[in-house]
Amino acid sequence: DANGNSVSANEILSDGMTLYADWELIEYRIYYHVDGVEGETVAHYGDLVSDILPVPQKEGYAFAHWSLSADGEKAELVTGEADFYAVFIPETYKIVLNSQYRLEGFSADGEGGYIQEIDYVYGKNTRLPIGEFETVVDGVTKEMFLEGFTLEGSTEILTSLAGVSHNATLTAVWSEVKHKVVYIADGNEQLSQNYNDGDMLVLPAVPDKFGYRGEWKLNGEAISDGYAVYGDLEIVAEYTAETYQFTIVSKLRPFDGGFTEQNGVWIKTCG
């Protein structure tokens, strides 16, 4: 009534009484979901969704809005009991790749090194360059092996940007490319050596073989110290029979020809 007292359906009304409707806000049960984790709260019709629900955090992503579906449009108002889903968008980070040797796509940094800048979208499978590359080391062109990159303050070698969730500078990890040099003599391996790409060959002695003179050869051609190694090599010992001279001396004149008399004896040189 006009005094704020409730009037029941069974109450007798008097003439001239004025009744007023008394409204109560209906509470709705609201469920919200963040990557499979569910929360619960209550709200009223017309409440702003952004006012009743928290702002969730997710590594590598920015919160976009609450939606009535997992990847739907933004929900503005509460209109009844509902499930709301957090929608995220991946962050984009500025990544600087730093290398002491030149790589394709890298530019000089003005300090003797080379850099490349990448806009990395979190969660994208962005592979980093790895493998063998021809580059210039101390003025010499040679093959070097790029193992990957390390983050500042870390020794872990990365081959992709998966998991990087901040602006970062990564440094290339290089190692020498190793080549195996094998020495073969008489069909058997005698020795193997490892050389860095571009190193100069130092040949071992050719194994002895009685009655023969040996020489190291690569693909049938003679090879010597100072040969630059740019790949695996198989070097083979090639043997040539030695030539010897001997002299036959006889006090009697032999029937065979070719002997000459010198100082009372007969002499013949062979070989």
Side-chain angles (χ1 to χ4, degrees):
D1 60 17
N3 297 318
N5 299 314
S6 297
V7 178
S8 67
N10 297 322
E11 194 168 334
I12 300 174
L13 302 179
S14 61
D15 185 31
M17 181 180 289
T18 302
L19 300 180
Y20 298 88
D22 187 10
W23 297 91
E24 289 184 1
L25 287 172
I26 299 175
E27 285 191 343
Y28 295 110
R29 186 66 58 182
I30 301 297
Y31 304 93
Y32 55 95
H33 308 265
V34 181
D35 280 351
V37 178
E38 183 179 293
E40 183 179 335
T41 188
V42 293
H44 304 100
Y45 185 91
D47 284 349
L48 288 173
V49 174
S50 59
D51 288 343
I52 65 165
L53 295 181
V55 178
Q57 304 294 317
K58 182 178 179 180
E59 184 180 22
Y61 292 85
F63 174 68
H65 55 258
W66 290 102
S67 174
L68 291 171
S69 61
D71 55 359
E73 297 180 352
K74 182 178 182 180
E76 298 281 359
L77 300 174
V78 173
T79 58
E81 184 174 302
D83 286 82
F84 291 94
Y85 298 84
V87 176
F88 296 92
I89 55 175
E91 296 276 14
T92 298
Y93 299 109
K94 184 72 68 177
I95 304 297
V96 178
L97 302 181
N98 186 8
S99 172
Q100 68 184 108
Y101 303 124
R102 182 186 293 277
L103 284 164
E104 185 177 352
F106 283 59
S107 57
D109 63 3
E111 299 179 358
Y114 302 89
I115 61 171
Q116 183 184 57
E117 294 186 354
I118 298 174
D119 288 328
Y120 167 60
V121 178
Y122 186 84
K124 186 177 180 181
N125 185 22
T126 301
R127 302 287 297 176
L128 295 170
I130 58 171
E132 292 186 12
F133 294 89
E134 185 178 274
T135 188
V136 178
V137 180
D138 297 329
V140 178
T141 300
K142 61 191 303 183
E143 292 285 328
M144 294 287 289
F145 187 79
L146 179 54
E147 299 180 34
F149 291 78
T150 57
L151 282 165
E152 292 175 295
S154 173
T155 58
E156 180 185 2
I157 297 177
L158 305 178
T159 57
S160 78
L161 292 176
V164 177
S165 58
H166 53 83
N167 297 331
T169 297
L170 284 72
T171 301
V173 179
W174 292 93
S175 61
E176 298 272 6
V177 171
K178 300 291 185 180
H179 300 301
K180 186 176 183 180
V181 178
V182 177
Y183 297 89
I184 306 293
D186 277 342
N188 297 313
E189 181 178 325
Q190 303 295 317
L191 176 68
S192 67
Q193 299 172 327
N194 290 319
Y195 284 85
N196 295 328
D197 192 77
D199 283 355
M200 300 301 173
L201 193 64
V202 178
L203 292 168
V206 180
D208 291 334
K209 184 177 181 180
F210 183 77
Y212 291 85
R213 181 178 65 257
E215 181 183 21
W216 291 120
K217 291 194 173 183
L218 176 64
N219 299 324
E221 300 290 333
I223 189 171
S224 60
D225 288 347
Y227 181 90
V229 179
Y230 288 109
D232 293 342
L233 302 177
E234 185 177 279
I235 299 175
V236 179
E238 187 173 294
Y239 291 96
T240 303
E242 293 279 13
T243 299
Y244 300 100
Q245 285 190 340
F246 59 94
T247 302
I248 301 174
V249 180
S250 175
K251 292 182 179 180
L252 300 177
R253 181 177 181 178
F255 292 105
D256 294 339
F259 283 81
T260 59
E261 184 181 10
Q262 295 182 22
N263 301 321
V265 293
W266 297 89
I267 297 174
K268 180 179 180 181
T269 300
C270 303

